[in-house]
Structures are given as structure tokens and as C-alpha cells.
Amino acid sequence: MLNESIARLVDYGIRRGLTPACEKIYTTNLLLEVFGEDDYQEPEGPLEEQPLEEILKSLLDEAVSRGIIEDSVVYRDLLDTKLMNCLLPRPAQVQQAFQEQYIVSPKAATEYFYKFSQDSDYIRRYRIAKDMRWKVDSDYGEIDITINLSKPEKDPKAIAAARLAKSGTYPKCQLCAENEGYAGRVNHPARENHRIIPITVNDSPWGFQYSPYVYYNEHCIVFNREHVPMKIERATFVKLFDFVKLFPHYFLGSNADLPIVGGSILSHDHFQGGHYTFAMEKAPVEIRFTVPGYEDVETGIVKWPLSVIRIRHQDEKRLIDLADHILTAWRGYTDESAFIFAETDGTPHNTITPIARKRDGLFELDLALRNNITTDEHPLGVYHPHAQWHHIKKENIGLIEVMGLAVLPSRLKSEMELLKTCILEGKSMADYPELEKHIPWVEEFLPRYETVNEDTVVDILKKEIGRVFVHVLEDAGVFSCDAEGRKAFLRFVETL
């Protein structure tokens, strides 16, 4: 059984172009060593092709039966990453192949690297396929919704082991360059099958990789080779456009640099980008204006639930200058009548979520104005999902959500199934503790639908979840989208 599984994995590596055919014996021996096996017999005849997930499962089951690992997703993930690395070229070889493709075109290079990152199982296709995804029409365009199911749930034994494990300082975080080839531990994912492409951004060394969770097409991460905290400043705009000039078919954006409105990792300077068109990019400019000294730059307020200024020009340096001017003005801006405070008790509140791209021959920069002030009524943030929407989305609104893609918690899958059952069978939602938070919401939207049956109920739930997410985005806007909000927005614009 082990011989056959090893032979299948080596065959997979050769077929996918990860392993040269001339390295078949060498790769086989690497895999035998992982299992502490001295003997091997090549299976006779051609082997039936199997999906990678099935090949790895059979090898991991064998490892469990031999006592090599515990039967837990954490230990399985640590080992299967080691197994996959036996098939892979060294980092320098991947970098060379990337550069050879880049000579053809930047798009050819990213297509090669994205495919490699999937074939290597760094991006686990079979887990990503479990995510629920749909689109919902709104006043702001077609919004993307996803329920993230690709991150496996840790079992109690692994959670306990992680708690007892010594807190390591290497790598310093999951974005550090030191993750490349790292074997992992119970409280840090294995990255032996991870490869990084070195790039130069703002005359300094950075890394280019893909996100293992792929929330959208070719979801990439661009990170500083040094472990330094995120900071939105003039240099941020330089870095974004340096990348866009290298890969003009990709957008690149940054999370804000303050808690609540920032991303989950503020300790390491990084950006996220990819090859995908979000609803925000499609959204039109609804109010055009000019900034003195920048009359040559297309400037306007975007029709979007968050408060977004879009600037466009053929010379990215003009955009960098104007973006720096807008950032400086916003950092110090207070408008008490609109409940905008630059700071309270010395704590700064205003920042920006920027997104750069090249479109129709022009460089373009979207600047989403953010504020992280809290109150007794809104302890998690005034410009954060309000409590009435927490049954769907409670987490911070980061870069990905800002652009119009909801990343919703996995619990919603089972809750949607239970809600469907209650609605169709007339069961009381109050009998299910996990549904209590949804009761006011369902009682509000259900009467609006004349036909609720087996054929329509799932689409209704998806549509209403999408409506909630649009409200969440509106909550995150520092200026509301109504007439009064636009007047307040233009008061800020006048200060430019």
C-alpha cells in the first residue's frame, strides 16, 4: 500500500511538472525516508490516476497507523507539507523559472507561479473548493459574498498541544520571509512547500507570494522582507505603484494602519493584490472635483458605501503627490457635526485604505477614508459593523471587504441550513440557541417574499445575507451616502 501511494505521489509530481522524470528515484527515496522505510518495490503496470487529496490521505493514514503522527488535521497538515516538498524544486529554481516567464510577459510569470502554488499544495484546491461563494445585486453594483470553509477546524487535542507549546519567535509572524521552507509546529503552519519571489519595491527588498486561502482569483501577498509594522504614508503609495508597474494586470491595496479599521496583521508591512475586478473598481465616480495644484488629475467621489476618493493620471508620481496631500489633510481633519475626530486624548483616529491599479492606460488610486473612534454605544467602533448586523458579520472591515467582498464566518453554513429547515417546516428558531441571534432579522425580511419554498428559500437567504453586508459597508463609511453625508464629504474636499 505504501509503495503504491508513494509511486502515485511521485507520478503526480512528474505529471504536474514539479519533479523532473530523471529525479524519480531520488524523489522516491526522499519519501521513503520520511516513513523510515528501507525497502521499496515499484508497483507493476500503470497506476490509475487519483486526485492529490486522495493520494495524500492514503499516505497520511499510513503515517498514523505507523505512529509517525497523531490522527489530527494539525499533524496531518504538518506531514503532508513535508511530503509535497519532496517533489518540489528549490526556491532558486522557482525564481529562475518565474524570471524566464516574466521575459515573455508579467502575466505569463504570474500564471506560472499561481499554478505552481496550487500544484505544490501550498494552495489546497480541494479545501478552497469547499468555500461558499455567490454574488448579490445592490445599489452599488454586484457584491461578492463568501463563507470561508477552507480553514480546517482544529481538534481539541491539537488546540491543547498548541497552548502548551513553547511560544516561538521564529518566524516572527506568518508573513515573514523565514516561513519559506519552515517545517512548522503545532502553533505555526508548515511552509515547506512555500516559495517566494523576490521583488524590489521602493528600492528595498520585498517578497511576492500567494495567499494559501485565495479569497479571489490570484489573491497575492506582497510583503516587506523586514519585520516592520504597517504604516500608511507617502512611501506606501510609492510601493503600491512600484508593484503595479511590475505587474500592470494586478491591483494592489493596503489595509489601514490602525486597529479596528486595519487588517489582522498590523505588525508586518504588507499588501494584498491579485487579478480580480471587484465591485468597487466598477463603481462610477458620482461627484467630480478638482484639487488646486492638481487640476490635471481626474478626481472624484466614488458611488460606494464607504467614503472613497478616486484619482487618475497617466503619471503615477502625480497620484503619489496628491494622495500624500489627501492623507495629510485627512489625518488632521475634524468635523464634529459629522462625528469625525482626528484624535481624542492624543489617540489618532483617521487613516486611509488605499488601492492602486492601472486601467485603460491610466494609473488609478482609490483612497477609502477610515476612522476608528469608539463610543459607549459602539464600543467596537462607530465606523465598524453595528451590533444589529453582528449575527452575520462582526469582524473588522479590512481591505478585501472594503473592495466589496464579504468574508463571512464558517458558522453561517450550518446556520443557513437550520434556518432553511425552520422556515420550510415552520419550526421555532428559538428552539435552536445558535439561531436566536437571527430571529429579528428573519422576522423582518420574510414577510417581503410571497413565494418561499424549497426552490426559493436558499436564494432568499443568500440575498438577505448580501443585503446585511451592504449595510455593514455603509456602517464603515465615515460619511453616509445620503444628501447630508455628501455635504459633509464635500466639506472635507474643500479643505484640500
Side-chain angles (χ1 to χ4, degrees), residues 429-465:
M429 291 179 284
D431 292 339
Y432 300 91
E434 63 267 54
L435 296 188
E436 285 185 23
K437 57 185 175 290
H438 294 303
I439 292 175
W441 170 59
V442 175
E443 290 178 344
E444 186 276 326
F445 77 70
L446 206 54
R448 296 201 302 267
Y449 295 90
E450 291 183 8
T451 306
V452 182
N453 55 38
E454 184 76 35
D455 295 329
T456 63
V457 67
V458 172
D459 286 340
I460 289 170
L461 286 169
K462 286 181 174 181
K463 180 179 179 180
E464 292 300 326
I465 287 172

Side-chain angles (χ1 to χ4, degrees), residues 52-76:
L52 178 61
E53 183 180 17
E54 290 182 19
I55 298 170
L56 290 173
K57 183 181 183 303
S58 65
L59 286 166
L60 295 171
D61 287 347
E62 181 69 21
V64 170
S65 70
R66 292 177 176 226
I68 296 172
I69 58 169
E70 291 185 35
D71 192 8
S72 154
V73 67
V74 171
Y75 296 103
R76 283 174 171 262

